[in-house]
Amino acid sequence: MNGKSLILKALNHEEVPRTPWVPYTGAQIANLKGYAADEIFKDVDKLVECLLEADAQYDPDGLPVMFDLQVEAEILGCDLKWYPNTPPTVYTHPLASDFTIPTQHLTREDGRIPIILEATRRLKEAKPNIALYGLVCGPFTLASHLRGTNIFMDMYDQPEKVKELINYCEEVVSEYAGFLVEAGCDVIGAVDPLVSQISPVSFDQFLSEPFSAFFDKVRAQNVPSTFFVCGDATKNIPGMCKTLPDAIAIDENVDIVAAKKVTDEHNILISGNLQLTITMLFGTQQDNQQAAIELMDALGQKNFILAPGCDMPFGVPPENIVGVSMAVHNKEAVRKALETYVKKDELPEIELPDYDSLDHVLIEVVTIDSQTCAACGYMVASANDAAAPFGDKVKVVERSIMYPENVSFMNKIGLANAPAMLVHGELKHVSLIPTSETLTAEINAAMKK
C-alpha cells in the first residue's frame, strides 16, 4: 500500500497496516538544499526542489505543499515581514482602525497562490503516491490578521461584527481550498492556531458555524479535511469535533492520549504530536525515534497519523526527521536498537529574575516563537499594546522555547503549555490571550506591590 492510499484509508477511519507519517514541512526543508526560508516561500522551482528532497530523505506518506498562514492575509492587504529562517509574519492589520468588512475575494492569480498551485501540480505529477496536503489559514486567525489584537476586545464589544468578519474569512479560505483541490491536493487542512486562545463558549459563539460550513464545502468536493490547531486546545477539542472535520491535528501542548478518547467518540482521526523543540530541535535522532515509537504504541493503527505538532522549525536537524521515518517504517528493528539508549538532559541551569529588585514591571511571554506561531505572536502583541502607555515603567520580554535556556525557564516555573504570560513573576495567562483591560489592571496591581 503506497503512502497516499495509507493516508486516505486512515482518514476514512479504517485500521491501517502501519502508522501513517506526515512531516509538516515548512521552512525546515529549505535547509535541505541550502536555501533561506523566504526563498522557498517565493520561488516555485526552489519550493518543488526542496519538497522532492524532503520526500527522498524523509520517506513520508503525505506532505503539505506549503505551510504558510499568511498567503491569504497578504492578498487582503496585510504587510508581511520576511525572515531567512521562518515563514513570514503579518505586521500590519488593514482593519485595525477601520472595522469595515472587506468584499474582496481571491482568484487563482492573486499573490503567491500561483506558486502554490504550480508546486502542487508538479508534485502531483512527480510523486503521485504521496498524499498532498493543501493548507489554508483558518478563518479566525485570518480575521485576526486583518483586525489585529483588537479582535479579542471586539468579541465582547462588537460580537456581531466579529461574526461577520469571520464568516467573510471562511468564504475566502473556502474559495482558496477549492483552488487547491483543483490543482491536485488530496487533503485540505484549515490551520487556525488562535482557536486555542479562546474559551469553549467563544468557540461555540463565533467559530462553530463557519468551521462547520468550511468542512461541509470540502466534503462536497470528495476530499478529506483536517482541523489544525496550536497551543493547549484541550478545552476546545469537543467543539472542534462537532464541526465534523475528518481529522484534528494538535501539538505538544495537548495530552494526545486523552484527546484521542474524545476524537474517537466522534470517529475523528487525530494527528500529532512530536515535540517541536525539546525533541525535534534539541533532541538526538534516538530521542526522536523513541518519541515516535511511544506515540505509535499508545495510539494504535486506527484514527491516528504521526506528525510533528506543527510545521517544523528551520533548525531541526534532518537526521532527526530521518530517524522518525526509520521508526515508522521499521518500528521493531528501531525499538531493538534503542533498548540500551538513555536520554540525556542537557538543558542549561538558569536563575529566575529578582523581580523585587526591578525598577519596572516585567511581563514575560513564553512562546514557541512569535515569528512562526500566530497565537504566540498575538500574545506578545497584546503584551506590547498594554505596556506601551506605561513607557519605561513596563518592559516586555519574549521567552521563546526555540532557545534551551527558555525551556529551562519553563521547567523551573512549572509551566507545561505555551503561549503563556507572566506579570512580574506571576503566571497570569496560559493559552488565553488577555484583553487589554485585563492586562492593564494586572500591570497596575503589580505596580502597587
Side-chain angles (χ1 to χ4, degrees):
M1 181 178 291
N2 63 41
K4 176 181 171 181
S5 299
L6 193 71
I7 293 286
L8 296 180
K9 188 178 180 72
L11 287 168
N12 196 41
H13 315 295
E14 301 174 46
E15 188 158 339
V16 289
R18 66 161 173 83
T19 303
W21 155 235
V22 181
Y24 297 149
T25 46
Q28 192 276 339
I29 59 172
N31 269 321
L32 299 180
K33 288 294 183 178
Y35 297 128
D38 53 344
E39 292 182 86
I40 68 167
F41 289 115
K42 297 178 181 179
D43 186 312
V44 67
D45 293 329
K46 292 176 180 177
L47 174 61
V48 171
E49 181 184 3
C50 291
L51 285 165
L52 290 173
E53 186 64 25
D55 170 63
Q57 292 199 33
Y58 303 155
D59 200 6
D61 299 304
L63 282 176
V65 178
M66 183 183 286
F67 210 121
D68 180 351
L69 306 189
Q70 288 66 235
V71 172
E72 301 97 320
E74 182 182 23
I75 294 166
L76 296 177
C78 296
D79 293 318
L80 305 186
K81 285 185 178 178
W82 290 89
Y83 305 95
N85 60 348
T86 71
T89 58
V90 167
Y91 80 97
T92 65
H93 310 284
L95 305 187
S97 58
D98 179 10
F99 197 177
T100 300
I101 307 302
T103 58
Q104 178 183 352
H105 288 264
L106 306 187
T107 75
R108 295 166 184 80
E109 304 305 318
D110 287 336
R112 289 178 291 127
I113 289 178
I115 292 173
I116 298 165
L117 299 184
E118 176 63 17
T120 302
R121 288 188 285 264
R122 290 195 203 174
L123 262 291
K124 191 76 171 180
E125 182 176 357
K127 298 292 177 179
N129 293 330
I130 294 176
L132 298 182
Y133 279 61
L135 304 183
V136 305
C137 182
F140 184 42
T141 293
L142 181 56
S144 70
H145 285 337
L146 297 174
R147 178 63 172 155
T149 56
N150 291 336
I151 198 167
F152 297 102
M153 186 62 74
D154 295 334
M155 294 169 80
Y156 298 96
D157 295 342
Q158 304 183 73
E160 294 307 314
K161 200 74 175 285
V162 172
K163 286 183 181 179
E164 189 179 355
L165 177 60
I166 294 172
N167 287 336
Y168 161 75
C169 291
E170 180 275 315
E171 293 174 3
V172 167
V173 301
S174 290
E175 289 175 337
Y176 179 31
F179 303 158
L180 293 169
V181 172
E182 287 176 6
C185 285
D186 303 293
V187 183
I188 294 295
V191 188
D192 211 317
L194 290 182
V195 165
S196 64
Q197 303 302 300
I198 61 172
S199 69
V201 171
S202 293
F203 182 95
D204 290 342
Q205 181 180 2
F206 295 102
L207 302 184
S208 181
E209 290 184 9
F211 270 105
S212 295
F214 176 83
F215 294 125
D216 281 347
K217 292 172 185 176
V218 174
R219 191 176 301 109
Q221 298 173 79
N222 296 313
V223 173
S225 59
T226 300
F227 194 155
F228 285 75
V229 67
C230 302
D232 185 8
T234 304
K235 57 189 175 293
N236 285 328
I237 288 176
M240 293 166 66
C241 288
K242 292 176 184 176
T243 65
L244 300 181
D246 294 293
I248 288 174
I250 60 170
D251 71 13
E252 62 210 62
N253 286 280
V254 177
D255 180 338
I256 193 169
V257 174
K260 191 172 188 295
K261 294 177 182 177
V262 179
T263 54
D264 279 349
E265 290 175 1
H266 298 267
N267 198 27
I268 289 172
L269 181 145
I270 198 162
S271 177
N273 69 345
L274 291 165
Q275 292 180 295
L276 295 175
T277 53
I278 294 173
T279 301
M280 301 201 80
L281 184 60
F282 300 137
T284 64
Q285 185 179 76
Q286 293 98 323
D287 293 336
N288 281 268
Q289 292 175 325
Q290 200 165 61
I293 288 174
E294 288 172 0
L295 285 168
M296 289 188 285
D297 286 347
L299 297 162
Q301 291 173 211
K302 182 178 180 183
N303 276 336
F304 173 60
I305 291 175
L306 180 68
C310 196
D311 59 325
M312 296 178 291
F314 183 81
V316 170
E319 60 266 26
N320 286 358
I321 309 168
V322 171
V324 173
S325 178
M326 292 166 61
V328 168
H329 293 285
N330 299 281
K331 184 167 71 169
E332 295 311 316
V334 171
R335 190 198 305 276
K336 182 72 175 175
L338 291 171
E339 283 181 351
T340 59
Y341 178 71
V342 179
K343 179 179 172 62
K344 295 179 181 178
D345 183 3
E346 297 181 348
L347 291 175
E349 289 291 330
I350 63 154
E351 294 294 328
L352 296 179
D354 183 359
Y355 298 102
D356 291 338
S357 69
L358 298 177
D359 62 356
H360 57 272
V361 171
L362 179 61
I363 299 178
E364 295 161 289
V365 187
V366 181
T367 68
I368 297 172
D369 180 5
S370 63
Q371 291 182 5
T372 58
C373 164
C376 300
Y378 283 110
M379 189 168 273
V380 171
S382 71
N384 285 327
D385 289 347
F390 294 94
D392 291 341
K393 294 179 180 179
V394 179
K395 294 183 180 178
V396 177
V397 171
E398 178 183 357
R399 294 189 176 276
S400 166
I401 60 172
M402 293 295 176
Y403 301 95
E405 61 270 21
N406 292 326
V407 177
S408 296
F409 176 85
M410 195 172 174
N411 291 340
K412 194 152 191 171
I413 65 172
L415 177 62
N417 304 110
M421 189 184 298
L422 293 83
V423 178
H424 217 64
E426 293 186 21
L427 186 59
K428 293 290 188 179
H429 306 284
V430 181
S431 294
L432 279 174
I433 295 174
T435 65
S436 182
E437 281 184 355
T438 297
L439 194 46
T440 298
E442 290 167 351
I443 292 170
N444 283 321
M447 284 181 169
K448 293 175 182 178
K449 290 183 179 180

